[in-house]
C-alpha cells in the first residue's frame, strides 16, 4: 500500500479512496484480533475479561468480600475501561462464573448464572450478585508489585494493566473461543496440576521435547466427567501443530435393564439430546427403545434414562448408534491461536506455549523481585537517615525549629541525601522524639537479610528457577484438583443400518408360479391356500425374519436379493418380483431362501452337479443379480437345501426321476461362492439333455432323520438305518428304489 499523502493548498490531507478503505479495514481487523477475540498468552484473558477481573479487584470484590450487584461491576467496567456495550461485558462475566463452562471459574456468583442445559439462561445483571473466586488471586496477587505495564484506558483518563501477572499458564487452564477477522481461536481447558507439572519439567529441563511434555499433559480436561475418546497419537499431533479436533463421549451404565447416561460432553444440553432421541423414536428409527425420561436433580446433575423394549436389546449397539446420531458424542475443534509476548497472533504448539509463558513468568518474577529490592534499598537508605537523626536527636530538633531551610541545613550538617532529609522532616517532632535505636536496627537487619536474599536470587538463574518452580507447585497444590474428563480408547460409533433398525418379526415369503411375491406375518401360514390370480398358483415359500434378506434363484442360475421388510403384504396378491429385479428374458424363478448370513445351502442342478454355498455369498445389491450356479447343457436349477452348521454326521441324499437314490457324506462336496460344483449323482449328459433322466431333488439328512419319498399318492419312509443299501461314493449312479417308486415326484426330510 502506498503511503503517499497529498496536501492541497488549504493544508488538507487528501488520500485516495482505496488507500483509505484498505487502511481502515486493516486497522479494524487488527483491533478485533488484538482487543476483542484472542487471549494473551500471559494471563489467558481477552481484554474484556481482563478489565472485568481488574475492575472487580479495584472494587474490593475479593473471594472473602461480600457479594455485590453485578450491574455495579459491569457499570464500573464500562465506565472506566471497556469501550463496548454492557451486554457484551456481562456475557463475558457470566462465562467466567459458570463452572460448567470454565474449568477454574474466576467469578463467584449468586443468582441464576445459567444452567448446563442452557448456558444462556442466566438472569439479567440487576438480579445477580458477584465477587471474585479464590482462583482469581493467581492473576491478581502480584498486581501492585511492579509486575505490570500500565497503559491508558479507552478514553485516556486513567491507566489499566496491559496483561495481568498470572502465576499459572491460565491460557491453557480455562481455554477460550473467539472469532476474529480471518482467524479463530479454540483453546480447550486443561488440568492445573498437569499443566504445572509440564511447566516445572520444562523449567528444569529446557531441552525437553513435546513427547516428554505430553507425558504430563496427556489431553485437555473439560469441566465434565464425559470421556475423551480421541486416540493418544491424534492428541499428540494436535499439540505438535496447535490444530486438530477432539471427540468426547457421554458416560453411561446399566441399571437393571435401563440405560443411565450420567455425564454429557462439554456444553451439551441434556434436553437437546432427549429431543434428538425422541425424534428418532417418533420416526420409528429406534424400535428397540420403549421410553425416555430425564431424572436429573441437584444430587445428580445429569441422569438421562433410556428404557429398552426388552432385556434382549444390545445396550452397547444401541448406545453406539446414539453416539453416532446424537450429541451424546461430540467433536470439538482445537486451534491454539493466541497473542504471544511479541504482541502478534500465532497458532502455537504445546511446548512453544509453555516455553513462551515461562519466559513471561520469569520476566514477571524478575520484575517483582527487582521492584521489591528497590523498595528495600530505599527503606534501608531512609532508616540510615533515621538512625543519624536518632543519634543526634537534640541537634536535629534544634535545626528544625530554628532554621528557615532545615532540609539544606540537615544535609549540610549530617551529610544526608535529599530523600533522607525529606523523610526526617515528614516525621512530626513528637514522632521524631519517639525514634528507638532497637526498632531501627531491627528493621535494618530484617531488610538487609531480605536484600541479600533478593540479590542472591536475582544474581543466579538457578535460584530464580527454583523460586518460580516452588511458586508454581504451591499454586497447583492450592488450586489444583484431580482430572475430571477420563481418557478412554473406544471403537468408532456406528449408526444402525436401515436393516438393523427393522424389527425381527417372523415372516413367510411366498412366491407364485407367475413370479408374484408377498410376505405374510408369522410361520403358521398355509402358503398354498392363499388367494392367487387366475391362472397363477403357489410355487415356493421360505420362512425367516423380517430383518433377513430374501434371495431368489432363477432358472439361469443367477441369484437376486430383496429386502424382506418392505415386501408387499400377503393380505393382497403381492406384486411382480420383476418390478424389483431385472432377470434375463424368459427366466423363471426356481429357488427361494430366507436365512441368517452364515447359513449354508446345498445348491445343485438337476444335471447332477452341486456345491455348498454360504448365504452371504448369494447376496448382491445388483438388480441384475449375480451368476451363482453354472448349469450344464439341459440342466435346470433345483430348490436349494439347508445345510446344518456342523458337517459331521451330515449326509447328502440325491434322487433321480427314475428312482435312483444315492447317499454320501456332505463333507465330500466343496464349499464354493459360485460355479458348477462337483458331481453328485452320475447321470449321462446325453440323457440330461434329452430330459430322459435328471435329479428330482437333493436333500441334506442326519442320522436322526428319515427320508419320505413320494411317487403319485404313494409314500415310502426310509429311516437312516435303512439307507445302507443306497450309500456310495459321490458321483456314482446310485441304487434303484423298490418297485412302485421307479417314477418319483419328490422327497422330503422328516
Amino acid at each position: 500500500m502506498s503511503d503517499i499523502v497529498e496536501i492541497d493548498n488549504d493544508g488538507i490531507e487528501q488520500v485516495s479512496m482505496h488507500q483509505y478503505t484498505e487502511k481502515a479495514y486493516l486497522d479494524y481487523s487488527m483491533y478485533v484480533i488484538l482487543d476483542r477475540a484472542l487471549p494473551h498468552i500471559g494471563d489467558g484473558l481477552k481484554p474484556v475479561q481482563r478489565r472485568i477481573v481488574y475492575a472487580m479487584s479495584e472494587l474490593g470484590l475479593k473471594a472473602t468480600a461480600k457479594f455485590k450487584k453485578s450491574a455495579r461491576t459491569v457499570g464500573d467496567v464500562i465506565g472506566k475501561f471497556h469501550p463496548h456495550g454492557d451486554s457484551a461485558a456481562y456475557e463475558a462475566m457470566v462465562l467466567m462464573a459458570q463452572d460448567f463452562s470454565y474449568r477454574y471459574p474466576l467469578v463467584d456468583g449468586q443468582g441464576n448464572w445459567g444452567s448446563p442445559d442452557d448456558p444462556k439462561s442466566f438472569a439479567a445483571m440487576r438480579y445477580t450478585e458477584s465477587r471474585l473466586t479464590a482462583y482469581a488471586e493467581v492473576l491478581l496477587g502480584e498486581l501492585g508489585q511492579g509486575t505490570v505495564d500500565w497503559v491508558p484506558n479507552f478514553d485516556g483518563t486513567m491507566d489499566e494493566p496491559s496483561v495481568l501477572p498470572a502465576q499459572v499458564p491460565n491460557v491453557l487452564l480455562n481455554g477460550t473461543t473467539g472469532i476474529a477477522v480471518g482467524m479463530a481461536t479454540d483453546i480447550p481447558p486443561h488440568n492445573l496440576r498437569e499443566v504445572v507439572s509440564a511447566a516445572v519439567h520444562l523449567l528444569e529441563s529446557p531441552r525437553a521435547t513435546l513427547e516428554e511434555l505430553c507425558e504430563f499433559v496427556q489431553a485437555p480436561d473439560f469441566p465434565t466427567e464425559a470421556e475423551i475418546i480421541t486416540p493418544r497419537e491424534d492428541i499428540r499431533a494436535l499439540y505438535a501443530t496447535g490444530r486438530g479436533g477432539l471427540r468426547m463421549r457421554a458416560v453411561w451404565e446399566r441399571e437393571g435393564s435401563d440405560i443411565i447416561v450420567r455425564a454429557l460432553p462439554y456444553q451439551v444440553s441434556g434436553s437437546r439430546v432427549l429431543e434428538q432421541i425422541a425424534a428418532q423414536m417418533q420416526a420409528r428409527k429406534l424400535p428397540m427403545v420403549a421410553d425416555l425420561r430425564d431424572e436429573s436433580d441437584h444430587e445428580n446433575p445429569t441422569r438421562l434414562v433410556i428404557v429398552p423394549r426388552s432385556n434382549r436389546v444390545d445396550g452397547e449397539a444401541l448406545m453406539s448408534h446414539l453416539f453416532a446420531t446424537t450429541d451424546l458424542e461430540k467433536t470439538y475443534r482445537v486451534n491454539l491461536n493466541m497473542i504471544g509476548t511479541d504482541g502478534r497472533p500465532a497458532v502455537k504448539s504445546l511446548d512453544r506455549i509453555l516455553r513462551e509463558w515461562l519466559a513471561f513468568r520469569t520476566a514477571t518474577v524478575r520484575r517483582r523481585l527487582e521492584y521489591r529490592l528497590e523498595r528495600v534499598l530505599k527503606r534501608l537508605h531512609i532508616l540510615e537517615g533515621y538512625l543519624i537523626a536518632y543519634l543526634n536527636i537534640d541537634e536535629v530538633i534544634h535545626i528544625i525549629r530554628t532554621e528557615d531551610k532545615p532540609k539544606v541545613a540537615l544535609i549540610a550538617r549530617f551529610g544526608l541525601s535529599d530523600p533522607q532529609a525529606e523523610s526526617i522532616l515528614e516525621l512530626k517532632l513528637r514522632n521524631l522524639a519517639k525514634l528507638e535505636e532497637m526498632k531501627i536496627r531491627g528493621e535494618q537487619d530484617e531488610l538487609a537479610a531480605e536484600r541479600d536474599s533478593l540479590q542472591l536470587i536475582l544474581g543466579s538463574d538457578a535460584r530464580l528457577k527454583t523460586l518460580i518452580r516452588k511458586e508454581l507447585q504451591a499454586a497447583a497444590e492450592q488450586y489444583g484438583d484431580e482430572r475430571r474428563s477420563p481418557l478412554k480408547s473406544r471403537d468408532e460409533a456406528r449408526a444402525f443400518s436401515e436393516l438393523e433398525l427393522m424389527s425381527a418379526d417372523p415372516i413367510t415369503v411366498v412366491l407364485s408360479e407367475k413370479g408374484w411375491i408377498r410376505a405374510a406375518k408369522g410361520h403358521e401360514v398355509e402358503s398354498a391356500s392363499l388367494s392367487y390370480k387366475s391362472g397363477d398358483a403357489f410355487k415356493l415359500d421360505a420362512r425367516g425374519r423380517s430383518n433377513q434378506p430374501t434371495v431368489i434363484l432363477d432358472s439361469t442360475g443367477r441369484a437376486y436379493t430383496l429386502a424382506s421388510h418392505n415386501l408387499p403384504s400377503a393380505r393382497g396378491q403381492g406384486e411382480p418380483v420383476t418390478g424389483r429385479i431385472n432377470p434375463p428374458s424368459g427366466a423363471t424363478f426356481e429357488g427361494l431362501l430366507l436365512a441368517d448370513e452364515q447359513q449354508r445351502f446345498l445348491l445343485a442342478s438337476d444335471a447332477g452337479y452341486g456345491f455348498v454355498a454360504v448365504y452371504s455369498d448369494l447376496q448382491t445389491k445388483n438388480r441384475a443379480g449375480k451368476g451363482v450356479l453354472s448349469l450344464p447343457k439341459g440342466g435346470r436349477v433345483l430348490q436349494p437345501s439347508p445345510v446344518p452348521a456342523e458337517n459331521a454326521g451330515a449326509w447328502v441324499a440325491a434322487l433321480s426321476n427314475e428312482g435312483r437314490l444315492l447317499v454320501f457324506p456332505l463333507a465330500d462336496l466343496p464349499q464354493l461362492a459360485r460355479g458348477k460344483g462337483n458331481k453328485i449323482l452320475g447321470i449321462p449328459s446325453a440323457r440330461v439333455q434329452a430330459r430322459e433322466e435328471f435329479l428330482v431333488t437333493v436333500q441334506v439328512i442326519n442320522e436322526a432323520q428319515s427320508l419320505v419319498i413320494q411317487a403319485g399318492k404313494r409314500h415310502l419312509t426310509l429311516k437312516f438305518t435303512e439307507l445302507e443299501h443306497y450309500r456310495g461314493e459321490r458321483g456314482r449312479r446310485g441304487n434303484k428304489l423298490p418297485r412302485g417308486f421307479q417314477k418319483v415326484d419328490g422327497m422330503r426330510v422328516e
Side-chain angles (χ1 to χ4, degrees):
M1 188 179 92
S2 173
D3 289 332
I4 298 169
V5 177
E6 295 178 7
I7 300 174
D8 66 6
N9 295 331
D10 298 325
I12 297 168
E13 289 183 4
Q14 288 186 329
V15 185
S16 70
M17 183 62 85
H18 83 87
Q19 284 177 323
Y20 173 78
T21 313
E22 189 177 347
K23 187 173 184 308
Y25 180 70
L26 287 172
D27 288 350
Y28 168 71
S29 302
M30 285 314 295
Y31 160 73
V32 171
I33 291 164
L34 298 177
D35 209 60
R36 298 286 305 268
L38 266 58
H40 193 281
I41 193 169
D43 57 10
L45 299 176
K46 297 176 185 178
V48 63
Q49 296 172 323
R50 188 178 301 121
R51 286 162 183 154
I52 291 165
V53 170
Y54 175 64
M56 288 180 78
S57 74
E58 287 294 284
L59 287 168
L61 294 176
K62 297 271 194 299
T64 51
K66 286 184 179 177
F67 290 97
K68 192 174 273 188
K69 285 280 182 219
S70 305
R72 170 78 180 86
T73 303
V74 173
D76 217 61
V77 173
I78 300 297
K80 291 180 181 175
F81 305 107
H82 199 57
H84 302 291
D86 55 355
S87 61
Y90 184 51
E91 260 192 67
M93 185 174 168
V94 166
L95 198 66
M96 293 191 289
Q98 293 176 337
D99 58 359
F100 51 85
S101 291
Y102 259 40
R103 184 68 178 80
Y104 302 97
L106 294 166
V107 176
D108 180 14
Q110 289 189 147
N112 182 11
W113 289 83
S115 67
D117 239 16
D118 184 9
K120 296 210 176 224
S121 62
F122 51 84
M125 56 187 158
R126 64 181 178 274
Y127 299 124
T128 57
E129 296 184 332
S130 61
R131 65 184 178 192
L132 290 168
T133 59
Y135 174 77
E137 197 61 25
V138 299
L139 301 175
L140 299 162
E142 299 171 3
L143 201 55
Q145 300 177 27
T147 53
V148 173
D149 291 326
W150 296 88
V151 294
N153 68 345
F154 67 96
D155 61 1
T157 54
M158 59 193 300
D159 288 342
E160 61 175 333
S162 61
V163 180
L164 295 177
Q167 296 169 37
V168 290
N170 189 55
V171 69
L172 288 171
L173 300 181
N174 276 320
T176 191
T177 60
I179 301 168
V181 181
M183 63 173 65
T185 181
D186 293 280
I187 305 170
H190 288 76
N191 186 278
L192 176 56
R193 288 180 185 169
E194 292 176 3
V195 171
V196 164
S197 301
V200 166
H201 179 74
L202 191 58
L203 199 61
E204 292 172 343
S205 313
R207 293 188 177 177
T209 62
L210 181 71
E211 288 290 315
E212 290 174 45
L213 296 176
C214 284
E215 289 301 316
F216 297 97
V217 183
Q218 295 186 3
D221 185 23
F222 294 87
T224 169
E225 280 75 32
E227 300 169 346
I228 295 171
I229 61 166
T230 305
R232 287 279 299 275
E233 305 78 52
D234 293 1
I235 296 175
R236 286 194 179 170
L238 179 158
Y239 283 139
T241 59
R243 285 193 177 92
L246 278 171
R247 293 186 79 78
M248 286 194 86
R249 185 177 284 186
V251 173
W252 64 281
E253 58 193 21
R254 290 297 286 256
E255 250 184 43
S257 62
D258 295 352
I259 292 170
I260 313 294
V261 177
R262 56 179 181 82
L264 293 169
Y266 180 54
Q267 292 187 331
V268 165
S269 160
S271 56
R272 170 73 181 136
V273 167
L274 290 177
E275 277 175 30
Q276 290 172 328
I277 300 172
Q280 290 192 35
M281 289 168 70
Q282 284 173 345
R284 302 192 176 179
K285 295 283 176 70
L286 275 180
M288 63 288 291
V289 176
D291 192 19
L292 204 59
R293 53 180 188 271
D294 188 353
E295 293 183 356
S296 306
D297 52 31
H298 289 292
E299 284 184 17
N300 303 291
T302 302
R303 185 179 165 87
L304 308 182
V305 183
I306 301 167
V307 183
R309 219 166 264 289
S310 72
N311 291 335
R312 295 189 301 279
V313 171
D314 186 346
E316 293 283 346
L318 171 60
M319 290 308 292
S320 180
H321 169 79
L322 292 176
F323 291 140
T325 56
T326 69
D327 285 347
L328 286 173
E329 183 174 315
K330 205 162 181 200
T331 302
Y332 300 89
R333 187 175 62 199
V334 176
N335 188 17
L336 304 180
N337 190 11
M338 61 197 73
I339 298 166
T341 48
D342 58 357
R344 294 170 178 272
V347 176
K348 303 176 191 286
S349 60
L350 177 66
D351 55 335
R352 191 176 160 195
I353 293 170
L354 289 175
R355 282 182 213 281
E356 206 166 315
W357 184 84
L358 281 173
F360 165 82
R361 180 64 187 154
T362 304
T364 303
V365 171
R366 189 176 286 281
R367 284 176 69 175
R368 187 186 86 209
L369 296 176
E370 284 171 349
Y371 177 78
R372 180 63 187 162
L373 180 61
E374 191 184 334
R375 296 279 298 270
V376 166
L377 292 172
K378 274 185 183 175
R379 183 65 181 163
L380 280 169
H381 186 61
I382 300 297
L383 287 173
E384 280 175 30
Y386 283 173
L387 197 59
I388 292 167
Y390 172 77
L391 295 171
N392 302 280
I393 189 74
D394 295 334
E395 197 175 343
V396 168
I397 291 170
H398 178 74
I399 289 170
I400 293 169
R401 281 179 172 168
T402 57
E403 292 288 336
D404 290 337
K405 293 184 178 177
K407 188 173 158 180
V408 177
L410 285 170
I411 290 170
R413 170 67 185 86
F414 300 112
L416 300 173
S417 67
D418 194 277
Q420 285 175 324
E422 194 73 47
S423 65
I424 290 168
L425 291 171
E426 280 175 2
L427 280 176
K428 292 177 180 173
L429 283 177
R430 69 170 178 269
N431 290 341
L432 196 61
K434 287 179 184 174
L435 284 175
E436 293 178 31
E437 188 180 1
M438 288 294 287
K439 280 186 180 177
I440 294 169
R441 291 199 184 278
E443 192 177 347
Q444 274 184 321
D445 292 344
E446 281 177 25
L447 290 173
E450 189 178 350
R451 177 199 63 204
D452 295 343
S453 169
L454 288 168
Q455 286 174 339
L456 210 60
I457 294 168
L458 286 166
S460 164
D461 285 345
R463 289 177 188 274
L464 187 63
K465 278 185 182 178
T466 303
L467 176 65
I468 293 168
R469 188 191 77 229
K470 284 180 176 174
E471 287 179 353
L472 277 169
Q473 287 169 337
E477 187 63 37
Q478 189 174 353
Y479 304 109
D481 56 5
E482 294 300 316
R483 167 174 278 280
R484 285 188 66 182
S485 303
L487 302 174
K488 299 281 184 182
S489 173
R490 301 284 189 194
D491 294 333
E492 191 176 347
R494 190 181 69 85
F496 287 134
S497 64
E498 193 182 349
L499 198 65
E500 288 172 307
L501 288 169
M502 291 300 116
S503 55
D505 301 321
I507 59 166
T508 303
V509 178
V510 182
L511 188 66
S512 76
E513 287 179 357
K514 300 285 187 189
W516 285 61
I517 196 165
R518 49 188 152 168
K521 288 185 178 178
H523 291 166
E524 291 77 38
V525 179
E526 290 287 335
S527 306
S529 62
L530 295 173
S531 69
Y532 293 88
K533 286 185 175 291
S534 136
D536 201 0
F538 165 73
K539 185 170 186 180
L540 298 164
D541 67 0
R543 288 170 172 76
R545 295 188 306 277
S546 56
N547 61 347
Q548 295 170 332
T550 298
V551 170
I552 298 173
L553 277 175
D554 74 4
S555 54
T556 67
R558 297 185 74 77
Y560 310 86
T561 307
L562 301 176
S564 305
H565 66 271
N566 60 11
L567 288 174
S569 168
R571 290 195 183 104
Q573 291 171 335
E575 63 180 47
V577 76
T578 49
R580 298 179 181 229
I581 58 176
N582 297 332
S585 167
T588 57
F589 302 111
E590 305 298 335
L592 186 65
L593 306 173
L594 191 60
D596 290 323
E597 295 287 307
Q598 298 309 311
Q599 174 67 50
R600 297 184 303 157
F601 287 90
L602 174 55
L603 268 59
S605 64
D606 66 4
Y609 290 84
F611 59 91
V612 175
V614 181
Y615 193 60
S616 57
D617 290 340
L618 304 178
Q619 294 171 36
T620 174
K621 290 180 180 176
N622 197 343
R623 279 178 65 98
K626 68 174 182 181
V628 173
L629 187 63
S630 302
L631 298 173
K633 265 191 181 177
R636 294 177 187 173
V637 176
L638 293 175
Q639 166 73 354
S641 176
V643 172
E646 298 294 328
N647 274 4
W651 297 74
V652 176
L655 180 65
S656 78
N657 63 327
E658 291 190 348
R660 290 187 177 274
L661 177 65
L662 177 67
V663 178
F664 62 88
L666 175 66
D668 292 355
L669 281 179
Q671 184 169 311
L672 305 172
R674 60 178 65 194
K676 176 180 164 184
N678 288 12
K679 189 176 278 190
I680 296 174
L681 187 72
I683 305 173
S685 57
R687 297 204 71 191
V688 172
Q689 289 177 39
R691 303 302 294 169
E692 292 173 3
E693 189 179 356
F694 48 86
L695 274 184
V696 174
T697 182
V698 178
Q699 299 289 339
V700 178
I701 185 173
N702 62 37
E703 294 177 7
Q705 292 173 319
S706 305
L707 283 179
V708 179
I709 295 154
Q710 297 165 278
K713 292 184 179 179
R714 297 181 69 188
H715 290 72
L716 173 66
T717 302
L718 296 171
K719 292 180 180 175
F720 189 81
T721 49
E722 297 168 345
L723 295 175
E724 188 67 38
H725 175 62
Y726 304 100
R727 286 186 202 174
E729 291 179 12
R730 178 185 59 76
R732 297 291 185 185
R733 283 286 281 152
N735 287 327
K736 283 213 168 191
L737 290 166
R739 194 184 294 270
F741 289 91
Q742 307 289 313
K743 288 186 180 179
V744 292
D745 297 324
M747 172 173 68
R748 67 177 191 271
V749 176
E750 283 188 350

